[in-house]
Coordinates of all heavy atoms in Angstrom, one line a residue:
L175 N 0.8 -1.2 0.0 CA 0.0 0.0 0.0 C 0.8 1.3 0.0 O 0.4 2.3 -0.5 CB -1.0 0.0 1.2 CG -2.4 -0.4 0.9 CD1 -2.4 -1.9 0.4 CD2 -3.3 -0.3 2.1
I176 N 2.1 1.2 0.5 CA 2.9 2.4 0.5 C 3.3 2.8 -0.9 O 3.2 3.9 -1.3 CB 4.2 2.1 1.3 CG1 3.9 1.6 2.7 CG2 5.1 3.4 1.4 CD1 3.1 2.5 3.6
G177 N 3.6 1.8 -1.8 CA 3.9 2.1 -3.2 C 2.7 2.6 -3.9 O 2.8 3.6 -4.7
L178 N 1.5 2.1 -3.6 CA 0.3 2.5 -4.3 C 0.0 4.0 -3.8 O -0.5 4.8 -4.7 CB -0.9 1.6 -3.9 CG -0.9 0.2 -4.5 CD1 -2.0 -0.6 -3.9 CD2 -0.9 0.2 -6.0
A179 N 0.2 4.3 -2.6 CA -0.1 5.6 -2.1 C 0.9 6.6 -2.7 O 0.4 7.7 -3.1 CB 0.1 5.7 -0.5
R180 N 2.1 6.3 -2.8 CA 3.1 7.2 -3.4 C 2.8 7.5 -4.9 O 3.0 8.5 -5.4 CB 4.5 6.6 -3.3 CG 5.0 6.7 -1.8 CD 6.3 6.0 -1.7 NE 6.9 6.2 -0.3 CZ 8.0 5.7 0.1 NH1 8.8 5.0 -0.7 NH2 8.4 5.9 1.3
E181 N 2.3 6.4 -5.6 CA 2.0 6.5 -7.0 C 0.6 7.0 -7.3 O 0.2 7.3 -8.5 CB 2.2 5.2 -7.7 CG 3.7 4.7 -7.6 CD 3.8 3.3 -8.0 OE1 2.9 2.7 -8.6 OE2 4.9 2.7 -7.8
G182 N -0.3 7.2 -6.3 CA -1.6 7.6 -6.5 C -2.5 6.6 -7.2 O -3.3 7.0 -8.1
K183 N -2.2 5.3 -7.0 CA -3.0 4.3 -7.7 C -4.0 3.6 -6.9 O -4.0 3.7 -5.6 CB -2.0 3.3 -8.3 CG -1.0 3.8 -9.3 CD -0.1 2.7 -9.8 CE 0.8 3.2 -11.0 NZ 1.7 2.1 -11.4
A184 N -4.9 2.8 -7.5 CA -5.9 2.0 -6.9 C -6.7 2.8 -5.9 O -7.3 3.9 -6.2 CB -5.3 0.8 -6.2
M185 N -6.8 2.4 -4.6 CA -7.6 3.1 -3.6 C -7.0 4.5 -3.3 O -7.7 5.3 -2.6 CB -7.7 2.3 -2.3 CG -6.4 2.0 -1.6 SD -5.3 0.8 -2.4 CE -6.2 -0.7 -2.1
F186 N -5.8 4.8 -3.8 CA -5.2 6.2 -3.5 C -5.3 7.1 -4.8 O -4.6 8.1 -4.8 CB -3.8 6.0 -3.1 CG -3.6 5.3 -1.8 CD1 -3.3 4.0 -1.7 CD2 -3.9 5.9 -0.6 CE1 -3.1 3.3 -0.5 CE2 -3.7 5.3 0.6 CZ -3.4 3.9 0.7
E187 N -6.1 6.7 -5.7 CA -6.2 7.5 -7.0 C -6.7 8.8 -6.6 O -7.7 9.0 -5.9 CB -7.2 6.8 -8.0 CG -7.2 7.5 -9.3 CD -8.0 6.7 -10.3 OE1 -8.6 5.6 -10.0 OE2 -8.2 7.2 -11.5
D188 N -6.1 9.9 -7.2 CA -6.4 11.3 -6.9 C -6.2 11.7 -5.4 O -6.7 12.7 -5.0 CB -7.8 11.6 -7.3 CG -8.0 11.4 -8.8 OD1 -7.1 11.6 -9.6 OD2 -9.2 10.9 -9.2
K189 N -5.5 10.9 -4.7 CA -5.3 11.2 -3.2 C -3.8 11.2 -2.9 O -3.5 11.2 -1.7 CB -6.0 10.1 -2.4 CG -7.5 10.1 -2.5 CD -8.1 9.0 -1.7 CE -9.6 8.9 -1.9 NZ -10.3 7.8 -1.2
S190 N -2.9 11.2 -3.9 CA -1.5 11.2 -3.6 C -1.1 12.5 -2.8 O -1.8 13.5 -3.0 CB -0.7 11.1 -4.8 OG -0.9 12.1 -5.7
D191 N -0.1 12.4 -2.0 CA 0.4 13.5 -1.2 C 1.9 13.4 -1.0 O 2.4 12.3 -0.8 CB -0.4 13.5 0.1 CG -0.2 14.8 0.9 OD1 0.9 14.8 1.7 OD2 -1.0 15.7 0.9
P192 N 2.6 14.5 -1.0 CA 4.1 14.5 -0.8 C 4.5 13.8 0.5 O 5.5 13.2 0.6 CB 4.5 15.9 -0.8 CG 3.4 16.6 -1.6 CD 2.1 15.9 -1.3
S193 N 3.6 13.9 1.5 CA 3.9 13.3 2.8 C 4.1 11.7 2.8 O 4.7 11.2 3.6 CB 2.9 13.6 3.9 OG 1.6 13.1 3.5
F194 N 3.5 11.1 1.8 CA 3.6 9.7 1.6 C 5.1 9.2 1.4 O 5.5 8.1 1.7 CB 2.7 9.1 0.5 CG 1.2 9.3 0.8 CD1 0.3 9.4 -0.3 CD2 0.7 9.4 2.1 CE1 -1.0 9.6 -0.1 CE2 -0.6 9.6 2.3 CZ -1.5 9.7 1.2
N195 N 5.8 10.2 0.8 CA 7.3 9.9 0.5 C 8.1 9.9 1.8 O 9.2 9.4 1.8 CB 7.8 10.9 -0.5 CG 7.2 10.7 -1.8 OD1 7.0 9.6 -2.3 ND2 6.9 11.9 -2.5
D196 N 7.5 10.4 2.9 CA 8.2 10.4 4.2 C 8.0 9.2 5.0 O 8.5 9.1 6.1 CB 7.8 11.6 5.0 CG 8.1 13.0 4.3 OD1 9.1 13.0 3.5 OD2 7.3 13.9 4.4
I197 N 7.2 8.2 4.5 CA 6.9 7.0 5.3 C 8.1 6.1 5.4 O 8.8 5.9 4.4 CB 5.7 6.2 4.7 CG1 4.4 7.1 4.8 CG2 5.5 4.9 5.4 CD1 3.2 6.5 4.0
R198 N 8.4 5.6 6.6 CA 9.6 4.8 6.8 C 9.2 3.6 7.7 O 8.5 3.8 8.7 CB 10.7 5.6 7.5 CG 11.2 6.8 6.7 CD 12.0 6.3 5.5 NE 12.6 7.4 4.7 CZ 11.9 8.1 3.7 NH1 10.7 7.7 3.4 NH2 12.5 9.1 3.1
A199 N 9.7 2.4 7.3 CA 9.3 1.2 8.1 C 10.1 1.0 9.3 O 11.3 1.5 9.4 CB 9.5 0.0 7.1
L200 N 9.5 0.3 10.3 CA 10.2 0.0 11.6 C 10.5 -1.5 11.7 O 11.6 -1.9 11.8 CB 9.4 0.5 12.8 CG 9.2 2.0 12.8 CD1 8.2 2.3 14.0 CD2 10.5 2.8 13.0
F201 N 9.4 -2.3 11.6 CA 9.6 -3.7 11.8 C 8.4 -4.4 11.3 O 7.3 -3.9 11.2 CB 9.8 -4.1 13.3 CG 8.9 -3.4 14.2 CD1 7.6 -3.9 14.4 CD2 9.3 -2.3 15.0 CE1 6.7 -3.3 15.3 CE2 8.4 -1.7 15.8 CZ 7.1 -2.2 16.0
P202 N 8.5 -5.7 10.9 CA 7.4 -6.5 10.4 C 6.5 -7.0 11.6 O 7.0 -7.1 12.7 CB 8.0 -7.7 9.7 CG 9.3 -7.9 10.4 CD 9.8 -6.5 10.8
I203 N 5.3 -7.2 11.3 CA 4.4 -7.8 12.3 C 3.7 -9.0 11.7 O 3.9 -9.2 10.5 CB 3.3 -6.8 12.9 CG1 2.4 -6.3 11.8 CG2 4.0 -5.6 13.5 CD1 1.2 -5.5 12.3
P204 N 3.0 -9.8 12.4 CA 2.4 -11.0 11.8 C 1.6 -10.7 10.5 O 0.9 -9.7 10.5 CB 1.5 -11.6 12.9 CG 2.2 -11.1 14.2 CD 2.7 -9.8 13.9
S205 N 1.7 -11.6 9.6 CA 1.1 -11.4 8.3 C -0.4 -11.8 8.3 O -0.8 -12.7 9.1 CB 1.8 -12.3 7.2 OG 3.2 -12.0 7.1
L206 N -1.1 -11.2 7.4 CA -2.5 -11.7 7.2 C -2.4 -13.0 6.4 O -1.9 -13.1 5.4 CB -3.3 -10.7 6.3 CG -3.9 -9.5 6.9 CD1 -4.3 -8.4 5.9 CD2 -5.1 -9.9 7.8
T207 N -3.0 -14.0 7.0 CA -2.9 -15.4 6.5 C -4.2 -15.9 6.1 O -5.2 -15.9 6.9 CB -2.3 -16.3 7.6 OG1 -1.0 -15.8 8.0 CG2 -2.1 -17.7 7.1
M208 N -4.3 -16.4 4.9 CA -5.6 -17.0 4.4 C -5.9 -18.3 5.0 O -5.0 -19.2 5.0 CB -5.5 -17.1 2.8 CG -5.6 -15.7 2.1 SD -7.2 -14.8 2.5 CE -8.4 -15.9 1.5
H209 N -7.1 -18.5 5.5 CA -7.5 -19.8 6.0 C -8.8 -20.2 5.3 O -9.8 -19.4 5.3 CB -7.9 -19.7 7.5 CG -6.7 -19.4 8.4 ND1 -6.1 -18.2 8.5 CD2 -6.2 -20.2 9.4 CE1 -5.2 -18.3 9.4 NE2 -5.2 -19.5 10.0
F210 N -8.8 -21.4 4.6 CA -10.1 -22.0 4.1 C -10.4 -23.1 5.1 O -9.8 -24.1 5.2 CB -9.8 -22.6 2.7 CG -9.9 -21.6 1.6 CD1 -8.8 -20.7 1.3 CD2 -11.1 -21.5 0.8 CE1 -8.9 -19.8 0.3 CE2 -11.1 -20.6 -0.2 CZ -10.0 -19.7 -0.5
V211 N -11.4 -22.8 5.9 CA -11.8 -23.7 7.1 C -13.1 -24.4 6.7 O -14.1 -23.8 6.6 CB -12.0 -22.9 8.4 CG1 -12.2 -23.8 9.6 CG2 -10.8 -22.0 8.6
M212 N -13.0 -25.8 6.6 CA -14.2 -26.6 6.3 C -14.5 -27.5 7.4 O -13.7 -28.0 8.2 CB -13.8 -27.4 5.0 CG -13.4 -26.6 3.9 SD -14.5 -25.3 3.3 CE -15.9 -26.4 2.8
S213 N -15.8 -27.8 7.6 CA -16.2 -28.7 8.6 C -15.8 -30.1 8.2 O -15.7 -30.5 7.0 CB -17.8 -28.7 8.7 OG -18.4 -29.3 7.6
A214 N -15.5 -30.9 9.2 CA -15.0 -32.3 8.9 C -16.1 -33.1 8.1 O -15.9 -33.9 7.3 CB -14.7 -33.0 10.2
D215 N -17.4 -32.8 8.5 CA -18.5 -33.5 7.9 C -18.7 -33.1 6.4 O -19.4 -33.9 5.6 CB -19.8 -33.1 8.6 CG -19.9 -33.7 10.0 OD1 -19.1 -34.6 10.3 OD2 -20.6 -33.1 10.8
S216 N -18.1 -32.0 5.9 CA -18.2 -31.6 4.5 C -17.5 -32.6 3.6 O -17.8 -32.6 2.4 CB -17.7 -30.2 4.3 OG -16.3 -30.2 4.4

């Protein structure tokens, strides 16, 4: 999303701002993980 914000693309279309270039990372946190959860009976 940082790249999209800087480029004014997708959900940031027409919303780009110079302050987005000042964003700096600190550390990773747990990832969003996809789960397809099915009942055993299925």
